[in-house]
């Protein structure tokens, strides 16, 4: 009886350990190759201002249009995407405007894979330098302290990023 229990225990251990290495891809999924440079149209969920973010801040984006390869959807419309603030300059005296640059980082494919992206969008606020100088010279030297506008990328703004490197996405037939 004890040999039977040892055998059953050994079989159970093998079964339990083998389940730890099972793929999370759907059972009948097939791989679809996504080539570098494939376009992905992204949209901003919220407005982003140079006044409110710092370099390295994460920005929430989403996919505007589904992305298809060989007739298979690899990225669904509305899929989450992430951007990061690469450059930010706050507005300043002498009417100098703020500026901001946001890079696309990654997007979630239909199988949960995070696909790296490359692409960026920049914005610059309105300059008030000429106004600050003219008003400062004519009326009051303190007018030179006028600030330019902050840079803002409005909610709903659309831009295109591109897939970096070769990616395999598993889609269900």
């Amino acid at each position: 009886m004890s040999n039977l229990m040892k055998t059953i225990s050994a079989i159970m251990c093998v079964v339990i350990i083998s389940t730890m290495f099972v793929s999370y891809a759907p059972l009948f999924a097939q791989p679809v190759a996504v080539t570098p440079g494939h376009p992905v149209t992204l949209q901003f969920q919220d407005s982003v201002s140079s006044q409110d973010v710092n370099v390295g801040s994460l920005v929430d984006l989403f996919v505007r249009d589904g992305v298809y390869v060989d007739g298979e959807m690899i990225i669904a419309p509305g899929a989450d995407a992430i951007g990061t603030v690469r450059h930010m300059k706050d507005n300043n005296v002498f009417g100098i405007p703020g500026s901001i640059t946001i890079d696309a980082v990654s997007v979630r494919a239909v199988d949960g894979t995070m696909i790296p992206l490359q692409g960026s969008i920049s914005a610059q606020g309105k300059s008030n330098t000429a106004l600050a100088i003219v008003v400062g010279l004519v009326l009051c030297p303190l007018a030179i302290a006028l600030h330019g506008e902050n840079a803002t990328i409005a909610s709903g703004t659309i831009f295109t990023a591109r897939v970096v490197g070769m990616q395999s996405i598993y889609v269900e037939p």
Side-chain angles (χ1 to χ4, degrees), residues 4 11 94 100 126:
L4 179 62
I11 291 171
F94 292 111
I100 189 170
K126 181 181 171 194

Side-chain angles (χ1 to χ4, degrees), residues 3 17 19 21 25-27 55 73 82 86 91 96 104-105 107 113 127 130 135 159:
N3 283 341
I17 291 173
T19 60
F21 302 104
L27 188 58
V55 172
M73 181 186 299
I82 298 171
R86 176 173 35 110
N91 62 357
I96 296 172
V105 175
V107 64
T113 301
S127 174
V135 172
F159 73 106

Side-chain angles (χ1 to χ4, degrees), residues 36-100:
H38 200 88
V40 179
T41 304
L42 301 174
Q43 189 168 353
F44 282 81
Q45 290 186 7
D46 300 308
S47 295
V48 180
S49 171
S50 60
Q51 178 181 4
D52 301 328
V53 296
N54 295 309
V55 172
S57 296
L58 296 179
V59 177
D60 292 327
L61 306 165
F62 66 93
V63 175
R64 181 163 189 247
D65 304 314
V67 178
Y68 295 84
V69 172
D70 298 331
E72 300 287 345
M73 181 186 299
I74 58 163
I75 303 172
D80 292 332
I82 298 171
T84 186
V85 178
R86 176 173 35 110
H87 164 81
M88 183 283 305
K89 185 177 86 176
D90 208 0
N91 62 357
N92 212 328
V93 295
F94 292 111
I96 296 172
S99 61
I100 189 170

